[in-house]
Structures are given as structure tokens and as C-alpha cells.
Amino acid sequence: MVRKPVVSTISSGAYLQGSANGRLPALGGKEPPGQEKVVLKKKITLLRGISIIIGTIIGAGIFISPKGVLQNTGSVGLSLVVWTVCGVLSLFGALSYAELGTSIKKSGGHYTYILEVFGPLPAFVRVWVELLIIRPAATAVISLAFGRYILEPFFIHCEIPELAIKLVTAVGITVVMVLNSMSVSWSARIQIFLTFCKLTAILIIIVPGVMQLIKGQTQYFKDAFSGRDASIMGLPLAFYYGMYAYAGWFYLNFVTEEVENPEKTIPLAICVSMAIVTVGYVLTNVAYFTTISAEELMLSNAVAVTFSERLLGNFSLAVPIFVALSCFGSMNGGVFAVSRLFYVASREGHLPEILSMIHIRKHTPLPAVIVLHPLTMIMLFSGDLYSLLNFLSFARWLFIGLAVAGLIYLRYKRPDMHRPFKVPLFIPALFSFTCLFMVALSLYSDPFSTGVGFIITLTGVPAYYLFIIWDKKPNWFRRMSDIITRTLQIILEVVPEEDCHKL
């Protein structure tokens, strides 16, 4: 395992001016009497854990366009089966992560587990792709959905200008970054509120749908499994769309070190969250088909809006607002969790040292949060984000599959490892096989996008040897690195975590 290199920043024993009491402990310095230790605190309770998982899973997809599953299954009945099976498979992945999270009590999620099992090179490649492409692009995409739907009620009879969407999106991204920089508690509280908004939005769809069923509106369920037959390629792609909609169950593992009583909280939060999301997703799709035919759903770009316009009248204007709040919750939860991945990777020496530092008063990983802001803005105002996500989507499932496969490896390599929560072995085996099968399928069905993504991912290999392994860097480079780190440390008022991390 790569250990963090010693980097000279501020002279040992020195103090910086500008903190609350006029003195900021420097790298290597002793903390002044009575000053609180600068560490990330355990503020994630069970309710906050559930809100992180639900709040990041439920984004815009279930409200806007679930037609990817229907398009590749060919029938209403089979599409509902796929939604259910994808929920169960996602639960299997989440339970596997629950075992990993309670056995390896370190934040960082995929990165930490791959580092523990397969070593530093694959772990570095994972965080390299996440930092440069996946997370900025994913944040920009969900943020654009937020910008579009928050403006929807103001542009009922005309098209929303793209510039207006991007400007509102930029404001939303900035608000999320500021919120996560200022307070862990407030970020978690707002996430709880937004999670209730998401569930309210789903109930707004499910309840009228159930009433439609009671009235006997079941014409679109007749011969539910008839229609265009699913192709050999189509059915696996339907699972791919479904699994993507459930993605987000792994985010609590990114903040393991901040979870209260993780041995109980993580498994319970995962089980409760996945049960709620799976039932909610299936019932939402059932509700759609009480009012919208399969053909109409395929033509709609915003299924929830189409559904609400038919059944809810003027109240349908509230649906875009709820969708916008849902997107904002996904933005907030994603930034909160992934910033911890960068924080842990920096602590291990795989990212610049400044990213492993914590604000002296707010106790947030401020640099690891704000590093996403400029990268996300570049993505927002650049080219086709959706193509970029297609390039890199295979990398997500490849590394998640590897992390879960690592659980099986650890069972045999370290049988005496303390495991407070243990799942039957067929669960990680089935899930990792599903992930790797989807990756292999993408190589066959879309070789261009997957090939480009594969090449982008491989750039992490030379980067690893250049930035991590090569230790004969010029003196001018080292001096410049020290100056930049020292300057940012003063400006941001951050210091390294004072408690040594205990494995």
C-alpha cells in the first residue's frame, strides 16, 4: 500500500495568523491548549445515512425518462420485472458493500477496497478517472436537469433558453459546493429534507396511479408480456439502464469514518434505503402505465410531467419543482460523498496533499470539496456531456465489480478478518458477475464509446508512474509544489488531520 510522502509545507512548530484565536496549528505543530482537534467528526446518524443513500439514488431519471428499460425489453410486463430484478441486484451490491464497510472501516468506497485488495495502481486509476472525468461530468449532467426543471414553471409556453439553464445550473453547483464546505451538519440536514421531497414526489405519482388501478384503469396491462420480443442484446442493455437508475447505494461507504456506530448503521441504512427505493421505483412505473401507454411513454421526454398533466391538472406545475429538488439532493449527496474519496486518496499519497486537509473551524474537507467546482464548470460549458458519460460508464461498473470481487478474495485470503456483518457468498458472486458481464457486453454492443472510455481510463497508468512512482522530480518542481501547498493552506485555513488514522 502506498503511504503518503512527507511534504514540507509550513515549518514545524510554526503558526499561521487568521484563525478564531489568532493561531492556526501548522503541519507538525502542536495544538494550542484548549483548541479542539481538527478531525472529521462522526455526524452521520442512521437517518442521515438513509438520506444520503436515497437522496443520491433518486435523481431525475425515474421522473424524466425511464424508457431505456422499456425500449430494450419490448413489453410492459418485462420492463417491470427488470426494474424489480435490478433493485434486488442493487441490494446485493449494497449488502456486499455493507460487509466491506464494516470490515474495512475507512472512508473512500470503491477506491479504498480496491487499494486494500488489488494494490495502489488500480486504486489510483480509479480515483484518476473519477476526479478528471466521471464526477465532474456526472455532477454537471444532474445539475443541468436541476437547472432545466427549476425554470420549467416560468417558461410554460416557450422553450427555455440554454444559456439561462446553464447560468441557473452554475448557481446551483456553487450553492452545493458552498454548503458542503461550510458544515457537515447542515449539509446532512438539508439532505434529509430533500430526501423527503423526493419521496413526496414519488408519492404524488404513486397515489393517483393506485387510484387509477382501483377505478379499473388496467387497459395498458392487458397482455403485459406481449409486444416486441426482447433481443439477446436488448435485455442485458435494459438491465444496464435499470442498474444505472439504482446507482448511488454505495455512497454511504465513501463516508464510513464519519458514521456513528458503522457496524450497525451501515447495514441497516442500506437495507432500509434499498427497500424504499425498489418499492418506490416499481410502483412509480406501474403508476405511469395506468395512464400512459407503452407507445406514449417511448415518445415522452419527461414521463412524470406527461403523467401529472393528465391526472393532476394545475397541480402538475409542482412536479417540475419536485424534480428539481430531487436533482439538487443528488447533487448535494454526490458532492458530500465523493469529496471524501478525494480526501482519502490524498491521505494515501495518490492526490495532492492539500486535498487531505481540513478546515480548522468548520471541520470539513474544504479543498476536497471545492476541487470539483472548476472541473464541473468546465464540463458544464463544454461539449456533449452525455457522450462523455457513455465513454466512462463502463469504468464505474468495472471497478465496482472488482471491489465486490475483492470481498470474495478477502474471504479466502484473510479468513480471520473481523467481519461484524457477513453476507452469503453467492450474493457478491452474483453481483460481481453481473457487473463484469455488463462491462463485457458494452465492449460488444458499443465498441467505439467503450473503447474511448477504455483509453481514457488507461491514461491513469502513465500518470501513476509519473506522479506517484517517479521520485526524482526536479528541485524546482518540488519547491513550486511546496509553495502552492503552503499558499493554499493559508488562504483556505486548512491543516492536516491531527489524529493519525488508525487501521
Side-chain angles (χ1 to χ4, degrees):
M1 186 181 294
V2 172
R3 289 299 173 190
K4 190 178 182 87
V6 177
V7 180
S8 172
T9 53
I10 303 172
S11 302
S12 178
Y15 293 97
L16 298 175
Q17 299 299 317
S19 64
N21 58 4
R23 297 166 74 88
L24 173 64
L27 188 63
K30 296 180 180 179
E31 90 186 51
Q35 180 167 314
E36 193 176 11
K37 287 186 176 181
V38 182
V39 295
L40 294 178
K41 296 183 176 180
K42 290 184 178 292
K43 292 189 175 182
I44 308 301
T45 60
L46 176 61
L47 180 59
R48 290 176 178 178
I50 292 172
S51 71
I52 287 173
I53 297 173
I54 294 179
T56 47
I57 291 178
I58 303 176
I62 191 65
F63 303 114
I64 297 175
S65 183
K67 61 186 178 184
V69 174
L70 180 62
Q71 185 176 15
N72 287 284
T73 54
S75 67
V76 171
L78 193 54
S79 70
L80 295 176
V81 170
V82 168
W83 278 108
T84 305
V85 174
C86 285
V88 174
L89 283 172
S90 298
L91 175 61
F92 283 4
L95 291 173
S96 301
Y97 264 51
E99 177 174 329
L100 287 167
T102 53
S103 304
I104 305 170
K105 297 189 180 81
K106 293 171 65 177
S107 297
H110 325 312
Y111 166 82
T112 296
Y113 308 142
I114 291 172
L115 179 64
E116 188 80 16
V117 178
F118 299 107
L121 177 56
F124 176 84
V125 171
R126 177 68 182 88
V127 77
W128 169 265
V129 179
E130 183 78 28
L131 176 62
L132 292 185
I133 304 292
I134 295 179
R135 182 44 45 186
T139 303
V141 167
I142 191 68
S143 302
L144 278 170
F146 162 78
R148 179 175 297 277
Y149 279 87
I150 202 72
L151 291 173
E152 183 82 19
F154 303 101
F155 293 86
I156 298 174
H157 302 294
C158 60
E159 191 70 24
I160 306 173
E162 286 298 319
L163 180 59
I165 293 173
K166 291 193 174 184
L167 289 176
V168 171
T169 298
V171 172
I173 292 170
T174 304
V175 169
V176 168
M177 299 291 180
V178 170
L179 175 64
N180 281 273
S181 300
M182 297 298 290
S183 171
V184 172
S185 295
W186 273 106
S187 179
R189 288 168 187 158
I190 290 176
Q191 188 68 10
I192 291 172
F193 167 73
L194 293 172
T195 298
F196 279 111
C197 289
K198 292 169 185 277
L199 296 177
T200 301
I202 285 180
L203 286 174
I204 289 174
I205 295 169
I206 291 174
V207 172
V210 171
M211 293 175 66
Q212 288 287 91
L213 287 177
I214 294 173
K215 293 176 182 177
Q217 298 294 323
T218 59
Q219 64 270 26
Y220 299 130
F221 294 101
K222 292 178 181 178
D223 301 320
F225 289 91
S226 66
R228 181 176 52 83
D229 292 334
S231 65
I232 295 175
M233 292 302 299
L235 195 56
L237 286 174
F239 276 95
Y240 182 86
Y241 281 105
M243 294 292 286
Y244 182 82
Y246 282 98
W249 45 261
F250 40 76
Y251 279 120
L252 188 59
N253 292 69
F254 283 37
V255 296
T256 301
E257 295 166 31
E258 297 170 68
V259 176
E260 291 181 358
N261 193 8
E263 295 183 357
K264 293 183 179 179
T265 301
I266 291 177
L268 188 55
I270 283 172
C271 290
V272 172
S273 301
M274 292 310 299
I276 292 173
V277 171
T278 302
V279 172
Y281 272 16
V282 173
L283 290 180
T284 299
N285 278 276
V286 169
Y288 288 150
F289 290 120
T290 63
T291 305
I292 304 172
S293 68
E295 292 77 16
E296 290 171 327
L297 188 145
M298 292 293 296
L299 295 173
S300 175
N301 290 321
V303 183
V305 175
T306 303
F307 175 88
S308 61
E309 286 174 350
R310 294 192 181 183
L311 288 186
L312 304 179
N314 292 332
F315 188 71
S316 63
L317 291 175
V319 172
I321 301 299
F322 277 109
V323 174
L325 291 174
S326 178
C327 295
F328 192 84
S330 292
M331 293 157 58
N332 183 62
V335 170
F336 179 86
V338 175
S339 62
R340 272 58 176 180
L341 185 154
F342 301 146
Y343 168 83
V344 172
S346 173
R347 193 172 63 191
E348 296 289 346
H350 284 168
L351 290 177
E353 184 186 17
I354 189 69
L355 298 183
S356 64
M357 296 189 185
I358 302 171
H359 195 275
I360 56 167
R361 294 184 301 277
K362 304 185 187 304
H363 294 212
T364 60
L366 177 62
V369 173
I370 64 175
V371 70
L372 283 171
H373 191 271
L375 294 170
T376 305
M377 289 299 176
I378 291 171
M379 293 289 180
L380 176 63
F381 291 97
S382 64
D384 187 357
L385 290 170
Y386 296 94
S387 295
L388 196 60
L389 277 182
N390 288 338
F391 293 154
L392 275 301
S393 59
F394 92 101
R396 163 183 275 180
W397 295 111
L398 172 63
F399 286 108
I400 290 176
L402 286 176
V404 174
L407 183 154
I408 302 172
Y409 176 80
L410 287 175
R411 287 279 188 94
Y412 292 98
K413 189 70 174 179
R414 297 166 62 179
D416 297 329
M417 185 179 188
H418 178 56
R419 294 178 173 87
F421 181 82
K422 196 172 181 179
V423 296
L425 206 54
F426 81 90
I427 287 179
L430 178 61
F431 181 81
S432 59
F433 171 79
T434 302
C435 290
L436 298 177
F437 177 74
M438 287 194 299
V439 169
L441 177 72
S442 66
L443 288 168
Y444 179 78
S445 62
D446 191 1
F448 175 75
S449 295
T450 305
V452 172
F454 185 67
I455 292 170
I456 294 174
T457 303
L458 284 181
T459 61
V461 176
Y464 174 75
Y465 286 98
L466 178 63
F467 296 118
I468 307 301
I469 298 298
W470 184 39
D471 57 359
K472 295 183 179 179
K473 297 179 179 66
N475 288 331
W476 65 265
F477 181 86
R478 296 177 184 273
R479 286 195 300 269
M480 183 177 67
S481 178
D482 289 352
I483 291 171
I484 292 173
T485 301
R486 185 186 307 120
T487 303
L488 289 174
Q489 196 173 349
I490 294 170
I491 293 172
L492 299 177
E493 293 187 306
V494 293
V495 293
E497 186 177 20
E498 293 181 357
D499 279 354
C500 294
H501 183 68
K502 298 178 180 179
L503 296 177

